[in-house]
Amino acid sequence: MANPVVARAEVVGTRADGPARRVTVRCATAAARFRPGHFAALTAPAGSVDVLRHAVPVLRADGDTLDLLLPADPPPLLDLIAPLGTPYPQPDAPGCALLLGEDTQAGPLLALAEQLLAAGSQVAFVLVAESAGRLYGVDAARELTADVLLLTADGSAGLPLGDDPAALLDQALSALDADLLYTAASPELTAAAVAAATARGARSWTAVATEMPCGTGLCLGCVLPVRDADGVSRLVRACTEGPVFDGVRVRWGGLDTVPADVEGADAGGAGE
């Protein structure tokens, strides 16, 4: 868990960033504590019927500013809590990392790639979207590495995703001889990638894509089943224990259920 601050942050810039808006805010204390994978929780705009904060990705920190990814331009001041969550861990030694990002979820992987490269690791990207217009971070990824594979569901850019993405991801891991996998993608795509990485002996870390209605652990709207080190499955909050988890610990088939063997679950609960 990060050491977040509550602040009124001044918006100092906005620009189009793929299908979303990159919003730069000045918040020196939060920027100093940011690590790739962290997020921010924003108060709902004035006049909104929402009473909970909403979670948004933090793309990077630069000096005393943070870059956030928002669906639209915000007001001049943002009431935020940041940084929140558990970030992507760095490997103990330099390795070869495959970074899998889908749509705008891929945003935080770019700062992660910079961090990995600075520590001596090799990086490659697989960027996925429904169509070419939904791909995110392609140019930025290509500035970091020549190893960028694009996959689109409609085949409008790169290779067609097809009905067997697991095979494509397995081929990418094999071609790189990757020993690390970092993901920010849908549960279905992530589960396939984690399975392929695990079969090859690669370590995986994944930002679980789930709704985080408040981002601070109060609403319990983001619980998911995760296996602990003792092998027991427990329900945890993605916003406080995650959103980044060891990929093999997440019960991917039970994200929308309470598996019957989860500690404390009713014996008649839905199975995985």
Side-chain angles (χ1 to χ4, degrees), residues 35-248:
R35 299 293 181 272
H38 281 150
F39 65 94
L42 306 183
T43 296
S48 170
V49 297
D50 293 334
V51 295
L52 295 173
R53 292 176 179 268
H54 61 283
V56 301
V58 181
L59 300 176
R60 64 183 304 111
D62 186 8
D64 64 351
T65 65
L66 291 171
D67 280 4
L68 312 177
L69 196 64
L70 274 63
D73 285 337
L77 288 174
L78 288 177
D79 182 345
L80 63 79
I81 304 176
L84 288 164
T86 301
Y88 291 102
Q90 286 284 302
D92 294 331
C96 181
L98 179 65
L99 280 61
L100 168 66
E102 186 171 10
D103 210 307
T104 55
Q105 294 174 66
L109 295 178
L110 296 166
L112 172 63
E114 293 178 4
Q115 192 178 76
L116 289 167
L117 288 167
S121 288
Q122 179 183 350
V123 302
F125 283 89
V126 175
L127 300 177
V128 185
E130 283 293 317
S131 62
R134 296 296 303 178
L135 286 166
Y136 181 89
V138 176
D139 291 341
R142 286 173 171 163
E143 290 179 0
L144 296 172
T145 175
D147 294 317
V148 180
L149 173 64
L150 307 182
L151 302 175
T152 51
D154 65 0
S156 56
L159 298 177
L161 187 58
D163 297 326
D164 190 12
L168 291 172
L169 295 170
D170 183 67
Q171 290 170 20
L173 288 160
S174 176
L176 293 165
D177 195 21
D179 56 1
L180 297 164
L181 171 71
Y182 294 93
T183 79
S186 66
E188 297 78 15
L189 196 58
T190 299
V194 169
T198 302
R200 293 188 171 277
R203 192 71 187 271
S204 59
W205 300 98
T206 176
V208 176
T210 186
E211 292 292 330
M212 293 190 288
C214 73
T216 57
L218 297 176
C219 73
L220 299 178
C222 63
V223 294
L224 70 155
V226 171
R227 293 183 183 90
D228 281 346
D230 58 7
V232 177
S233 292
R234 296 178 173 88
L235 292 177
V236 303
R237 294 167 294 180
C239 63
T240 54
E241 282 83 359
V244 175
F245 292 92
D246 183 330
V248 300

